[in-house]
Amino acid sequence: MNAESFVGVREPALAALLNALVDRIEARPFPERSRDLVFPLNPHNWPEFFAIDHPRERTFVWQALETVVGQPGFELRLDQRKSRLDLDIWERRPKIIVSPDGEAFLREATKRYPSVTSRWIEQWRQAVLTRFAEGELGARLLSRPISIIQRSADEVLERFAALAALSDSGLMLHEVASRQFWGLSKILSGQQEAIALLLGQPICPFPDKPVQLLVSALTDDADAPILFIENAATFESLASGRLDAARDFILVFASGYKASARRLRSPGGSSVYFAPRVLTSNVELPGKFLVWLYSASTDRAIHFWGDLDFAGMDILKELRVVFPEAQAWTPGYDALLDRLYLGESHAPDEAKKSGQTDPGQTGCRYADAVLLPALRQHGRFVDQESL
């Protein structure tokens, strides 16, 4: 079945879903995404379907949906846990995954044709093929365009090709991007592979800016366990001594996912800033901390505390790639769980978190056996600043 079969679909619930998917694409086009579009099929995102009371009508709509996801560029994912296998398929936490290949189908089905952005992407495709043909570099640029809609695709590619003149400059990636692309310092983020291919080098010669770590401690033990903290306000609160349970830890703040950056444990990949109290009252701590950070040591207790939500659990999962011994911090998360159970929590859409996805397993026993099941059961989140 092709897109023409869906034009003017008679089933309002299916039409609403297809339009909602186009809405998401137009709000954030694929060139601006690092991953495919993930759209959870739940009462919030697809109320037209879940408002249907009659089981046979629901089944009819779902069968039409399965025809859609059978098209190139679509995938339907379900919760495969045994406890959910006997439920109706729409109760198994379904998600529809849309890749760039599915956009043309959606636009034809809804008659919502390409915007200025989409037309620019087609110009980009033609310009890349003309300059780089279909080699490895061309394929990379087609999959991840350097999107500057206000400039012509040819003009952007000219600036990209001219990066060779800066290869020995010693500049960081953000500095190169700002100098070369009209002050847009972040435009080359994620383009390191394409740059390396352009310059014929094994890796991109322009390093990412170092991850900035803030370190504080109330303990005098320079070998104390490490506690990574997701949010700046909570870090400052713990550093001031407001929560007794954190007094015996060395506190480290790196905003959000930055604590899980692979470059964190190399001297050129991170910059460490110690609180004044550490520098004046614990002179051994900075040196020992840096020796530990820039070694491959895995014999130190590492903990993570962030928001009680899927993003926080995903940060923990990624942190464990860099620090395999990292665990969710029990005192902090137990307190957040208490608030969740008391109803002092929020729905994902109340805090613009509806796009968060379940990370599955983190590898931390406490997170996988206690925290994630609680999040799945309640469908609500708690920010760590609430304590």
Side-chain angles (χ1 to χ4, degrees):
M1 184 176 290
N2 57 34
E4 286 293 337
S5 305
F6 287 94
V7 175
V9 284
R10 289 177 296 172
E11 176 47 59
L14 182 60
L17 174 61
L18 299 182
N19 276 287
L21 292 173
V22 176
D23 288 342
R24 290 288 180 92
I25 292 170
E26 291 186 343
R28 190 179 179 189
F30 281 110
E32 298 177 11
R33 296 175 178 267
S34 58
R35 302 176 181 177
D36 292 340
L37 168 61
V38 179
F39 191 89
L41 298 176
N42 55 38
H44 172 72
N45 287 340
W46 198 12
E48 296 84 0
F49 174 80
F50 288 92
I52 299 173
D53 294 325
H54 199 287
R56 289 185 64 183
E57 186 178 353
R58 276 199 180 189
T59 301
F60 171 78
V61 176
W62 196 268
Q63 288 173 343
L65 169 64
E66 289 177 338
T67 303
V68 172
V69 298
Q71 308 302 312
F74 295 87
E75 179 187 353
L76 182 66
R77 293 181 189 170
L78 303 172
D79 190 332
Q80 299 296 336
R81 288 177 295 171
K82 291 183 179 179
S83 61
R84 290 188 169 268
L85 293 181
D86 293 331
L87 299 176
D88 286 324
I89 193 168
W90 48 78
E91 295 178 329
R92 292 175 56 190
R93 298 184 184 276
K95 300 174 185 175
I96 187 169
I97 316 299
V98 185
S99 74
D101 292 340
E103 181 175 357
F105 177 92
L106 287 171
R107 291 194 176 280
E108 184 62 33
T110 59
K111 291 299 182 185
R112 292 171 60 179
Y113 294 112
S115 61
V116 171
T117 299
S118 300
R119 290 194 295 272
W120 188 92
I121 291 298
E122 177 56 28
Q123 294 170 6
W124 172 264
R125 189 181 75 83
Q126 295 294 339
V128 168
L129 292 176
T130 298
R131 182 180 285 268
F132 299 111
E134 296 183 355
E136 190 175 0
L137 175 55
R140 178 64 184 176
L141 290 171
L142 289 176
S143 67
R144 195 180 184 92
I146 304 172
S147 299
I148 309 177
I149 307 300
Q150 294 78 11
R151 307 280 178 172
S152 74
D154 286 324
E155 193 176 5
V156 175
L157 279 179
E158 284 286 348
R159 294 294 180 103
F160 175 73
L163 289 176
L166 298 174
S167 59
D168 297 324
S169 65
L171 295 171
M172 289 187 293
L173 186 66
H174 283 62
E175 294 173 313
V176 169
S178 188
R179 293 186 184 196
Q180 198 72 2
F181 293 93
W182 306 283
L184 298 170
S185 63
K186 299 180 177 65
I187 198 65
L188 291 178
S189 297
Q191 296 290 353
Q192 289 91 329
E193 182 180 338
I195 294 170
L197 289 169
L198 172 72
L199 302 179
Q201 299 188 20
I203 61 172
C204 174
F206 312 121
D208 267 323
K209 62 182 179 182
V211 177
Q212 295 180 341
L213 299 180
L214 305 183
V215 181
S216 187
L218 296 177
T219 178
D220 292 327
D221 181 4
D223 298 308
I226 307 294
L227 176 58
F228 282 95
I229 301 163
E230 179 184 355
N231 296 296
T234 303
F235 171 80
E236 294 291 350
S237 180
L238 298 190
S240 71
R242 191 172 62 81
L243 193 62
D244 287 340
R247 284 182 171 272
D248 295 328
F249 291 83
I250 295 172
L251 309 173
V252 182
F253 168 70
S255 179
Y257 280 88
K258 291 181 181 178
S260 62
R262 307 300 188 266
R263 64 187 185 277
L264 186 73
R265 301 200 78 170
S266 63
S270 58
S271 297
V272 184
Y273 302 90
F274 295 94
R277 182 188 183 283
V278 173
L279 297 174
T280 57
S281 64
N282 195 336
V283 294
E284 288 188 340
L285 193 153
K288 285 193 170 185
F289 180 87
L290 292 176
V291 168
W292 163 77
L293 180 66
Y294 297 138
S295 71
S297 172
T298 59
D299 58 1
R300 194 166 193 169
I302 309 294
H303 301 268
F304 169 77
W305 186 33
D307 295 335
L308 183 58
D309 58 19
F310 287 143
M313 295 295 96
D314 195 46
I315 293 172
L316 171 62
K317 181 179 180 177
E318 293 299 317
L319 183 67
R320 285 176 52 82
V321 176
V322 183
F323 301 98
E325 64 275 31
Q327 303 290 318
W329 189 48
T330 305
Y333 277 114
D334 277 351
L336 294 179
L337 275 177
D338 288 341
R339 294 187 67 81
L340 178 68
Y341 296 146
L342 290 171
E344 296 295 325
S345 58
H346 56 266
D349 59 300
E350 290 180 303
K352 298 183 180 180
K353 296 182 178 182
S354 57
Q356 291 191 13
T357 58
D358 189 329
Q361 299 290 307
T362 67
C364 166
R365 181 177 302 178
Y366 171 56
D368 294 342
V370 178
L371 301 179
L372 280 166
L375 288 171
R376 292 167 186 145
Q377 177 184 353
H378 291 268
R380 300 180 70 82
F381 300 151
V382 184
D383 289 354
Q384 68 176 160
E385 295 96 333
S386 62
L387 295 181

